[in-house]
Amino acid sequence: MFTMTKYVYSFKEGSKDMKKLLGGKGANLAQMTSIGLEVPPGFTVTTEACLKYLEEESMPSEIDGQMREKMDDLEEQTSKKFGDPENPLLVSVRSGAAFSMPGMMDTILNLGLNQDTLQGLIKLTDERFAYDSYRRFINMFGEVVRGIPHERFEEKMDEVKEQKGVEKDVELDVEGMKEVCKKYMELVEDIPSDPWQQLMEATKAVFASWNNKRAVTYREINGLPHDMGTAVNVQSMVFGNTGDNSGSGVAFTRDPATGENKMYGEFLMNAQGEDVVAGIRTPMQLEELKEILPEIHSQLNYVCKILEKEYREMQDLEFTIEDGRLFILQTRDGKRTPNAAVKIAYDMANENLITKEIALTRITGEQIEKLLHKQVDPEVDVEKIAKGLNASPGAACGKVYFDTDEAAERGNDGENVILVRRETTPEDIHGMAAAQGVLTSRGGMTSHAAVVARGMGQPCIVGAEELLIDMGREQFSAGNVVVKKGDMITINGTTGDIILGEAPLIEPEFSTEFQELLLWADDIRQMGVWANADNPNDARKALEFGAEGIGLCRTEHMFFDPERLDTVQEMIIAEKEEDREKALAKLMPMQKKDFKEMFEVMDGHPIIIRLLDPPLHEFVPNDKESQKSLANKLGIPVEEISERVKRLEEANPMLGHRGCRLGISYPSIYRMQVRAILEAAVETSNAGYDVLPRIMVPLVGNVKELSSIKEKVVLPVAEEVFKENGNSIDYKLGTMIEIPRAAITADEIATVAEFFSFGTNDLTQMTLGFSRDDVGTFVPGYLKQGVLSDDPFQVLDQKGVGPLVEMAVKKGRTANPNMSIGICGEHGGESSSVKFSYRAGLDYVSCSPYRVPIARIAAAQAVIESQ
Amino acid sequence: MFTMTKYVYSFKEGSKDMKKLLGGKGANLAQMTSIGLEVPPGFTVTTEACLKYLEEESMPSEIDGQMREKMDDLEEQTSKKFGDPENPLLVSVRSGAAFSMPGMMDTILNLGLNQDTLQGLIKLTDERFAYDSYRRFINMFGEVVRGIPHERFEEKMDEVKEQKGVEKDVELDVEGMKEVCKKYMELVEDIPSDPWQQLMEATKAVFASWNNKRAVTYREINGLPHDMGTAVNVQSMVFGNTGDNSGSGVAFTRDPATGENKMYGEFLMNAQGEDVVAGIRTPMQLEELKEILPEIHSQLNYVCKILEKEYREMQDLEFTIEDGRLFILQTRDGKRTPNAAVKIAYDMANENLITKEIALTRITGEQIEKLLHKQVDPEVDVEKIAKGLNASPGAACGKVYFDTDEAAERGNDGENVILVRRETTPEDIHGMAAAQGVLTSRGGMTSHAAVVARGMGQPCIVGAEELLIDMGREQFSAGNVVVKKGDMITINGTTGDIILGEAPLIEPEFSTEFQELLLWADDIRQMGVWANADNPNDARKALEFGAEGIGLCRTEHMFFDPERLDTVQEMIIAEKEEDREKALAKLMPMQKKDFKEMFEVMDGHPIIIRLLDPPLHEFVPNDKESQKSLANKLGIPVEEISERVKRLEEANPMLGHRGCRLGISYPSIYRMQVRAILEAAVETSNAGYDVLPRIMVPLVGNVKELSSIKEKVVLPVAEEVFKENGNSIDYKLGTMIEIPRAAITADEIATVAEFFSFGTNDLTQMTLGFSRDDVGTFVPGYLKQGVLSDDPFQVLDQKGVGPLVEMAVKKGRTANPNMSIGICGEHGGESSSVKFSYRAGLDYVSCSPYRVPIARIAAAQAVIESQ
């Protein structure tokens, strides 16, 4: 028996579960029809029909046949006839794929009009309305089916308006509209007069638009499949512009700005849907509909309740009132502000509309990010002068300063300051700390400025390559705009926008609903959420945000304190080992004090302390002046200083003499640090705290590096310290996995390491060959061209870096089943990366304190999604 | 039934196949005994006994028991008695593991002597001889068993010599020797007088030395297992110093310098073995033994033939003549010069002693390297002033110049020049080309200087960090030595030694035997051997050395020609796309000409041409002067030039805007190159040549990069060119695999690429996180401390980088079974890396022309070893 494929579904035949076949729009129209809402009748030509058409390159007769059958039904239901000059059935034709997809051809209204049916419509309504409908049809058919640019229609319209001496479309009288129709008909030659031919051409055009360039590019960038096709929805027209008893509007089932459980929306009487959006007349609030058409308002309220019950999500619906009768034309999940998202999710769970699990999946990392930081008021127009990478979220206003010392001074004096630099180095930290925000023209998402700003929870834009910074004249230009020292700007670290002047900001909110959601998340998640913190303030902040440990304490940040930097430089410049030891002896008590404070704050929580990581040249002065001053302090010739500094320079410092390589070349540095950690641990423990120190060796690529440091540094120092103190303490020794070779040989490394922490910043740099400081030169282009779908320093590259993470987890756990494994790269606070970490089997993620809430939610979402 | 393990083997019981159990020395002694050569009888305590002793931490009685049994045998065979004051049996005790292993305790001679047996020896020989033997015993026992430093014995000896007023040991009379014995006895307290106790203590000491620090470190560095143990050889003493009918010597079965099939060696009459080596008396040539003891000479000749037949290898043996009787004390494979290695391998195969396959395994890559370049005469003393990395083999003498232009000028005038720089950049190429050799104080094995020099086959030392170069004063210092501009030095690129003055050099030889071996290798090998060549001269050289294709033609090297550099800089500095296109249009014919010449030379052989790879800033001038001159040429302000140059600067250029990233940012550059390649190919093909062009895209990490370049550059340009010429040509498009992500996603990349070429330099940099330009800072230390066993830029890191290569081959071939895969990194010419490439399934290796012979041999060895 030959079974014919069903290519066309009436709205009565489908349901919301048939998105793949009917597209999102078609499935929702079917669903609404099936639950008894008043939807103008129609049918959907399936995505399969689209694929079949694209494959055969012509419309198979079986599809044509099935469409005719459904059109017969439609005529019956509406008591009108397609192409009947007396009582014409008009339809809309709309595309609708399973995913919303910008770039595909969209809508043709009033299809079925021609010179004959136009006369029928005139009789049934009025002449101006009919010609207005006709010109809309010609326009849309011309654009969608014939690909004639929108502007060409605008030109014609303008010609007529000028001719008639009017300014707005609505001011055109019947004759004007007739003239427009005439001009449009000249533009769109050979428009078929046969409505069926109109319909088939429109359907084919929508099908073909699946493969137009913009749609293909969109799918490529978003990783969507190319073999899904789009459906076509054919729906009988209803008109909101047939008189004072008619109207059109949009409604949200809840307030999309606040989340309040109350219908919200706008409408226009005697108008079509597009008029509401077009902004020519000012729409009214839905509240007012209560006065005008109380029954309709009440029906709409009822529809909202039904749709929410049906979809268990806040809906955004379009309606038309035709002569006092309410029609629902479309429904879809409504967009909302972050605050609303939180409130709606929380409320719906409490209303038992959804489970707590589903509530948790309803908030995204981006939304939480916005909840935690000041934002530029989106309602206000601002003058954007350039765009950079959105390195650290939140917005800040301040006066521009280029000199770090000056920025620090002004900032500490209470002025609002934005520090602007080509790039920042550790020597700029005091200026950054005193500023409201930081803006650089170089560097990527993990450049120094970006990392430090995120750690401080401070807005930051980096890699704004359009800016031409003239440090000498203390000004920058962006296009034609020149911004001088002291000028006020606003940076929007959430979007990367650089704004001239002081933009109005919205304060962050941290609602009780959000607090509740976080607690729900904690109940569900299985991974720990730790934070990266280098000082007691950050550690306290981390605990406040719910962190359960410190996954990364960068000891070098403690070196940059201006009081200490001198001694650090003395240590680095030392040519003789004994001079180095002398300087280290001065640093020891300082580091020890830092660690004691950290241990006290983190009482009962583990702290992973990473030994010195950056190349030494980051600590020494490059300019002659500072070199002279250092020379004076140390009492050695400046030439020697500059020679030594020069020797520290490297062609590619990221791949150079840093991390454990330093620890092996200069074991005394690591010895000092390990001693400081363990003495601090013993003493804090003696004072009654529960101290859980973990020592982490950076940049290990070879198990021998780790074993060498263990044997030559850690074990002997620990033995000494414990002996001296007559008391020992449990500590763990572990390593970063941040070099591809470390992941590849993780089984070997796991024989020595007690824990792994993925440094996905460096791992990304090396696996992809992207210098985090230099990606500004090509990554923006890659994102634009779709070579990359995300910045790999923001969103973990699961296809490229992911396999190394999985390999290391597997090999590491095979060699050492008790291995604790986490991630402490910037990705630890990004939702999709947190979810990946869960799937890869990590024990915890660690991120900057401000991102801990994101990680808590994402970790819960990971569990829910995997179920 | 309880089977007792056999821990002790008499020499009559073993054979050369029992190396693992008896150690190399013991197995060879047994073998010689079994084929009837006169070997002083003895026995071997096995490596298993060693392990048992180390495990139980005391000598198990079963081992003691078995040793006693064998000692009884020995007494019977020698008709002497161990510890008998009348006719004492004396033995030597020597360690001997399966692998030769420096650092383990070695030899004790004359064991069995004490105050009583000494008297017996005096009676049997003479008093001075006896005391001399005794003091030697005490000395060796003290060093080996008690760990007393050698110098302590020297001091005592010196005291006695001073006392007696003599200069040399041999001048001491009986009384002197007695005095030495007395002093030595005081030094080595409690030396057991019981010979058995002496033997047991000596045996235990040898066993224990297996685990001494130097031995453990040696095994770690060389990747040898720790669980093998060492054997102990106990052998009855024979004396070559009992009169004029006695003597000792060493013999090689063939001439170790030339390989000539003729016994070669040295001997001393009336002397012990150690005297021959000690250099106190000048030994005689073996030829002279013919005159003195013709029968012994003839016996020795016979022994050589027997040993060669037995071992099928040139042997290095030690012999002692005791009272006209020839004893063979040891045999082992003899060391030889590279030339000798080739001749011996070739001759032995022709003599049917070995197969051609075995002959091929008898030459190493290092030996071939030396055959191909000038060497410093090893016989001459030279003044080494510093050492760097041996970046490109061979030796060169010349006057030192620091300024590249001056070096170029002097060199082109015919002066021998050594160019000395901190590091080189592409702008130094003309100076390098005109110099005899290059010396830099920075950079690693794949730094610019190293890569270029190897490509030119020119001696080069890089990363000589001890040198303090003062470019201003045009001089460098190494320790106390100051070398000024114009001073003569010699660089030994084979060893890394920097030598003051003009050292005598040996010319390279390329014997017919070696040519024959290469042809044998070609018959056996299954992998292709290609060469990296950037210009027709190198290509011709490559063919001469036997290359079958060009695996890497770096187009950028063609950009550095001084005539072209201007246009290249113009192209890079261009702000507007049209200006860039203009400059590229000028470059096109130049590149096309290059390619045509290459295609002509490589008629019938494939050429892989890599599109532009290095970051653009490598091409632009950094100093103000050159910037000014460029500004004048282009007629734009110098500020603009320097701003543009500054913008090109990167923090880590190795991970920055280079490779295909440039091709995507500036498609016009790649378009020009692809057009030049294809036009050249079509025209050369029209002229009757067989042209096989392959276009290679560098630094791909993501299939979308390659497909973007394919779709937007290669396909359209090819279509244009073929249309314009009315003729098309077969070409292939492929990619480097040099970013870890490329290896990880090779299955995706293989859907677009037609061939892969592993760029193991970059792959090593990124997988290990080692910048090739900066490794000088820590890699030497890593090698010294044994963290690394080889420089990973010389020898492919099979454990770290290897898995990525294997993964990429597997994934690439799964996605595209016809994929051609090769390697074009520096490792393509290194023996062990070539062998790895074969095992990983590569189709070919490509290396600098001068290393092609090494690769041909290694590729054959790989096949032989895998059988």
Side-chain angles (χ1 to χ4, degrees), chain B residues 827-846:
Chain B
H827 303 99
E830 191 280 325
S831 285
S832 72
S833 313
V834 171
K835 292 177 190 173
F836 168 80
S837 300
Y838 173 74
R839 291 193 300 273
L842 267 55
D843 297 305
Y844 69 89
V845 296
S846 185

Side-chain angles (χ1 to χ4, degrees), chain B residues 425-447:
Chain B
T425 71
E427 294 193 47
D428 296 316
I429 296 242
H430 61 299
M432 297 176 73
Q436 265 55 50
V438 178
L439 166 62
T440 74
S441 61
R442 312 264 312 242
M445 297 301 295
T446 55
S447 61

Side-chain angles (χ1 to χ4, degrees), chain A residues 259-297:
Chain A
E260 201 187 344
N261 187 359
K262 200 179 152 208
M263 182 169 75
Y264 175 89
E266 295 176 333
F267 72 104
L268 271 177
M269 292 311 285
N270 195 12
Q272 275 199 306
E274 51 185 310
D275 302 326
V276 181
V277 192
I280 297 164
R281 287 155 61 195
T282 306
M284 293 183 280
Q285 294 297 305
L286 265 187
E287 280 293 301
E288 300 176 55
L289 187 61
K290 221 178 192 167
E291 310 297 316
I292 303 171
L293 294 169
E295 253 176 68
I296 295 289
H297 184 267

Side-chain angles (χ1 to χ4, degrees), chain B residues 740-794:
Chain B
R741 195 185 193 279
I744 293 167
T745 62
D747 44 351
E748 292 189 347
I749 295 174
T751 60
V752 180
E754 293 171 282
F755 62 88
F756 281 172
S757 178
F758 285 100
T760 46
N761 298 351
D762 267 302
L763 195 57
T764 298
Q765 289 200 87
M766 295 180 204
T767 306
L768 273 60
F770 283 9
S771 159
R772 66 182 200 189
D773 297 314
D774 303 313
V775 289
T777 47
F778 63 92
V779 164
Y782 271 30
L783 289 167
K784 218 159 136 187
Q785 294 185 46
V787 174
L788 286 176
S789 50
D790 293 293
D791 182 331
F793 291 106
Q794 279 186 292

Side-chain angles (χ1 to χ4, degrees), chain B residues 414-430:
Chain B
E415 207 172 279
N416 284 347
V417 163
I418 304 289
L419 177 65
V420 181
R421 307 278 301 171
R422 275 224 178 76
E423 59 210 324
T424 66
T425 71
E427 294 193 47
D428 296 316
I429 296 242
H430 61 299

Side-chain angles (χ1 to χ4, degrees), chain A residues 196-458:
Chain A
W196 191 257
Q197 208 182 325
Q198 291 176 1
L199 178 63
M200 292 316 286
E201 279 200 34
T203 305
K204 288 176 195 171
V206 170
F207 282 168
S209 74
W210 174 256
N211 276 338
N212 77 28
K213 215 176 149 189
R214 272 183 62 201
V216 171
T217 306
Y218 180 86
R219 290 197 297 272
E220 271 177 4
I221 292 179
N222 291 279
L224 296 171
H226 293 297
D227 58 353
M228 302 195 67
T230 178
V232 170
N233 299 292
V234 178
Q235 190 172 25
S236 52
M237 289 294 302
V238 286
F239 298 96
N241 54 347
T242 55
D244 292 344
N245 229 2
S246 297
S248 291
V250 294
F252 290 86
T253 57
R254 301 189 185 218
D255 188 327
T258 65
E260 201 187 344
N261 187 359
K262 200 179 152 208
M263 182 169 75
Y264 175 89
E266 295 176 333
F267 72 104
L268 271 177
M269 292 311 285
N270 195 12
Q272 275 199 306
E274 51 185 310
D275 302 326
V276 181
V277 192
I280 297 164
R281 287 155 61 195
T282 306
M284 293 183 280
Q285 294 297 305
L286 265 187
E287 280 293 301
E288 300 176 55
L289 187 61
K290 221 178 192 167
E291 310 297 316
I292 303 171
L293 294 169
E295 253 176 68
I296 295 289
H297 184 267
S298 145
Q299 279 173 28
L300 199 56
N301 237 322
Y302 179 69
V303 166
C304 285
K305 293 288 164 229
I306 290 196
L307 284 176
E308 273 206 352
K309 214 162 175 183
E310 196 59 34
Y311 287 95
R312 307 199 173 250
E313 194 21 324
M314 188 264 263
Q315 294 294 296
D316 162 4
L317 51 107
E318 289 177 19
F319 63 90
T320 287
I321 310 162
E322 190 183 60
D323 237 355
R325 201 169 150 199
L326 176 67
F327 291 94
I328 309 299
L329 299 186
Q330 176 170 318
T331 188
R332 57 186 175 192
D333 295 348
K335 297 209 186 307
R336 65 210 75 180
T337 64
N339 282 315
V342 166
K343 182 161 170 54
I344 291 171
Y346 177 77
D347 286 351
M348 281 192 166
N350 279 332
E351 293 160 21
N352 287 322
L353 260 181
I354 56 176
T355 61
K356 287 181 178 178
E357 282 78 8
I358 290 179
L360 283 168
T361 62
R362 292 276 170 87
I363 353 168
T364 66
E366 290 83 33
Q367 288 171 329
I368 304 170
E369 190 95 66
K370 287 182 184 158
L371 287 181
L372 299 169
H373 300 280
K374 279 190 192 174
Q375 297 299 324
V376 174
D377 186 342
E379 302 293 315
V380 176
D381 272 343
V382 292
E383 188 184 349
K384 297 174 189 172
I385 55 172
K387 193 162 180 147
L389 297 172
N390 49 341
S392 179
C397 310
K399 288 185 183 170
V400 164
Y401 287 99
F402 296 88
D403 183 83
T404 301
D405 293 333
E406 191 172 6
E409 204 175 299
R410 299 297 181 113
N412 293 330
D413 284 355
E415 206 171 284
N416 284 348
V417 163
I418 305 289
L419 177 64
V420 180
R421 306 279 300 170
R422 274 223 180 76
E423 58 211 325
T424 66
T425 71
E427 294 195 46
D428 296 316
I429 296 241
H430 61 300
M432 296 176 73
Q436 265 54 48
V438 178
L439 166 61
T440 74
S441 61
R442 310 265 312 242
M445 296 302 294
T446 54
S447 60
H448 177 264
V451 173
V452 172
R454 273 196 298 273
M456 294 176 173
Q458 188 181 69

Side-chain angles (χ1 to χ4, degrees), chain B residues 244-251 263 265-269 284-301 319 321 326:
Chain B
D244 292 342
N245 229 2
S246 297
S248 291
V250 294
M263 182 170 76
E266 296 177 334
F267 73 103
L268 272 176
M269 294 307 289
M284 291 183 281
Q285 295 296 305
L286 265 189
E287 281 294 301
E288 300 177 54
L289 187 60
K290 222 175 188 169
E291 310 296 317
I292 303 170
L293 293 170
E295 253 176 70
I296 295 288
H297 184 266
S298 141
Q299 280 173 28
L300 199 56
N301 237 323
F319 64 89
I321 309 162
L326 176 67

